Amino acid sequence: VTLKVSGVNATSLTATTVNGRATFELEAVFPGVDTVTAEAGGVTASATVTWREPPSAGAALILVVNPPRPFALVTAISFWGHPSGTVHYQAPDLKLQSSKITSVVATKGSATIFGTATVAGQPVVFRVDVTGGLRDGTVRLRVSNGFDSGVVPVRLTLQLA
């Protein structure tokens, strides 16, 4: 059985049937809409799935300063569930500046920021995962166009949650 996902979380999975059943687990990286199509023996079935970002939780002020690395500045504040801020990323293979921060989920030592941006004139959804403390940490940017920065060590992360 083949499962194809098109949309913001595009992927393809395969599974072997056991007693006529195949099991798949999907976890969305990005909020948005995906079309999920299963195919087995020439028969197909499709469904639409709408993934929502988690509601903002906690309060975070995140500053990442890491020249000459691609992350120049990440700021996000969520007080009483109202996220705001900007995300800037510039590297030879991608330039991103956020249009809107849609969710910030902060816990002690980590935060996840969801938002929208434009890359090469195309709208995208992004997710930034931040871990660390007052002096060092890591940042990872994933974009719905397939870009993944990987885990990037940063010199300064300030986070209050």
Side-chain angles (χ1 to χ4, degrees):
V1 178
T2 301
L3 191 73
K4 293 184 181 177
V5 180
S6 60
V8 296
N9 296 289
T11 190
S12 182
L13 305 165
T14 59
T16 304
T17 58
V18 177
N19 296 326
R21 291 179 172 247
T23 302
F24 295 94
E25 288 187 31
L26 288 177
E27 182 176 344
V29 173
F30 307 108
V33 178
D34 288 324
T35 299
V36 180
T37 304
E39 189 277 321
V43 177
T44 63
S46 295
T48 300
V49 179
T50 300
W51 306 95
R52 304 210 186 283
E53 70 262 350
S56 292
L61 170 59
I62 304 160
L63 302 172
V64 178
V65 181
N66 202 43
R69 301 268 186 179
F71 283 98
L73 176 66
V74 176
T75 65
I77 302 170
S78 176
F79 291 107
W80 303 283
H82 302 289
S84 65
T86 59
V87 174
H88 302 273
Y89 182 93
Q90 187 165 347
D93 51 348
L94 182 84
K95 180 180 179 183
L96 178 143
Q97 179 163 342
S98 61
S99 303
K100 182 178 181 182
I101 302 297
T102 57
S103 177
V104 178
V105 180
T107 59
K108 186 175 182 179
S110 68
T112 300
I113 303 162
F114 294 93
T116 58
T118 302
V119 173
Q122 298 297 313
V124 295
V125 179
F126 68 87
R127 172 184 178 152
V128 179
D129 296 299
V130 181
T131 62
L134 294 175
R135 295 184 182 250
D136 57 19
T138 63
V139 177
R140 180 180 183 190
L141 171 67
R142 291 181 274 181
V143 183
S144 60
N145 68 358
F147 180 83
D148 186 338
S149 70
V151 177
V152 178
V154 291
R155 282 193 319 208
L156 174 65
T157 302
L158 174 60
Q159 178 180 342
L160 306 171

